[in-house]
Amino acid sequence: MKNLTGKNALITGASSGIGQAIAFRLAEEGCNIAINYRSKPQEAEQTEAIALQRASEAGYTIRTLLAQGDVAKEEDVIRITNSAIEAFGGLDILVNNAGIQTEYPSHEIPIDRFDQVIAVNLRGAYLCARETIQHLLAIQKPGVIINVSSVHEIIPRPMYLSYSISKGGMGNMTKTLALEYANRGIRVNAIAPGATVTPINEAWTADPEKKAIVESYIPMGRAGTSDEMAAAVAFLASDEAAYITGQTLFIDGGLTLYGDFREAWSA
Ligand code: NAD
């Protein structure tokens, strides 16, 4: 039993890809969901409609909220979290999913592009966590924060320096917040997706040849799905994970197992 029924969740960047799948999955578990989106209201409305339908098919009547805002902006994060708290009467679960990436040789990244990736992926996740933790401490209730990190939390990613730094930082933020608030009932964990078929990866998912190259690096031989990521979030959000905190769960088809070493490589 996941026991997520009636819980209140805020998911950032929830109108596409992994965030949208997380919204659907939590809705199917009976969670009320606040769908944060930055700029495409139609995508958010579509996400809301499908989430309501999935919840209904699973036998739940849930409440939803569309929460427009840019997680890189402090005033937006305060508004987003407050609107979810007011709409649902409290917040139990935060999923820090919003993320962007940018590709440049590391010696040539325009500093505003570098800053923007850190501002969304790392600072934005911190701001959302800060607001959620303040709320949970104020109402003296337990809660769960789940960060959507990446295999690049530990695998270096040339040409994507700011992304690598942001996800590496997210790993440490997960551990630090988990330790700091463990004795107040707040669990903080992360999932680290491997290569997953979502809009952020259009450059290779839409091209069979490029997709085959990406999948050749994955020991299980295929990219992951957003639903596979969402299943892990539902688990970590639930009481089934009641004793898990400060962990990053890698969901990557074995990508972090050093696939090149599958065969004996030294005598
Ligand atoms: P995506 O582009 O579909 O999702 C990212 C979402 O974040 C979008 O909905 C976007 O609008 C939103 N967003 C971007 N900037 C924002 C901002 N400033 N404020 C609010 N929302 C904002 O791609 P995705 O693959 O679903 O990515 C979701 C998360 O998963 C990201 O954090 C990404 O780094 C991580 N991830 C993805 C993969 C993958 O292979 N797809 C692998 C590892 C980690």
Side-chain angles (χ1 to χ4, degrees):
M1 291 295 288
K2 293 247 172 345
N3 210 12
L4 289 169
T5 313
K7 292 269 162 70
N8 306 318
L10 166 63
I11 306 136
T12 66
S15 63
S16 68
I18 293 171
Q20 185 185 57
I22 293 167
F24 293 159
R25 180 59 195 263
L26 293 183
E28 286 166 16
E29 300 287 344
C31 241
N32 301 317
I33 50 167
I35 297 162
N36 160 249
Y37 67 99
R38 188 188 42 178
S39 57
K40 294 183 183 157
Q42 318 88 293
E43 277 187 0
E45 282 159 18
Q46 200 182 6
T47 303
E48 182 181 43
I50 296 171
L52 284 166
Q53 189 188 335
R54 299 258 182 105
S56 165
E57 284 164 7
Y60 297 112
T61 305
I62 62 162
R63 283 179 290 162
T64 55
L65 173 77
L66 297 183
Q68 190 282 329
D70 180 344
V71 299
K73 294 185 177 153
E74 185 179 28
E75 64 273 21
D76 281 20
V77 170
I78 292 170
R79 180 174 47 74
I80 294 162
T81 43
N82 282 345
S83 67
I85 290 163
E86 278 167 28
F88 300 149
L91 206 49
D92 308 288
I93 299 160
L94 165 69
V95 184
N96 273 319
N97 168 78
I100 55 171
Q101 60 185 20
T102 185
E103 181 184 0
Y104 289 97
S106 293
H107 63 289
E108 288 176 352
I109 312 169
I111 200 62
D112 60 326
R113 301 294 293 137
F114 179 94
D115 286 346
Q116 183 62 14
V117 173
I118 302 293
V120 174
N121 297 10
L122 188 55
R123 190 170 170 277
Y126 162 64
L127 286 170
C128 292
R130 186 190 74 183
E131 292 305 305
T132 303
I133 291 168
Q134 282 181 11
H135 164 67
L136 292 169
L137 294 178
I139 62 171
Q140 296 188 312
K141 276 183 68 178
V144 182
I145 295 171
I146 297 163
N147 297 317
V148 179
S149 180
S150 164
V151 287
H152 297 295
E153 182 177 313
I154 57 170
I155 301 177
R157 194 179 185 197
M159 305 288 289
Y160 291 83
L161 180 71
S162 49
Y163 186 81
S164 285
I165 291 172
S166 73
K167 298 300 185 180
M170 192 170 232
N172 198 306
M173 183 173 77
T174 300
K175 291 186 180 71
T176 301
L177 292 177
L179 180 58
E180 195 165 342
Y181 297 100
N183 63 357
R184 281 168 278 182
I186 300 171
R187 295 190 295 108
V188 186
N189 290 296
I191 65 159
T196 310
V197 179
T198 71
I200 214 173
N201 286 327
E202 259 161 13
W204 58 264
T205 53
D207 179 331
E209 269 179 41
K210 286 184 182 162
K211 188 161 184 269
I213 293 170
V214 169
E215 293 184 332
S216 72
Y217 287 95
I218 304 169
M220 287 182 71
R222 66 169 178 86
T225 68
S226 293
D227 287 347
E228 288 169 324
M229 306 308 146
V233 169
F235 164 69
L236 287 171
S238 78
D239 289 347
E240 290 191 272
Y243 204 48
I244 301 176
T245 198
Q247 303 303 308
T248 296
L249 180 56
F250 288 82
I251 309 167
D252 62 359
L255 193 57
T256 42
L257 297 176
Y258 303 99
D260 284 352
F261 294 91
R262 200 175 345 218
E263 317 295 338
W265 64 283
S266 71

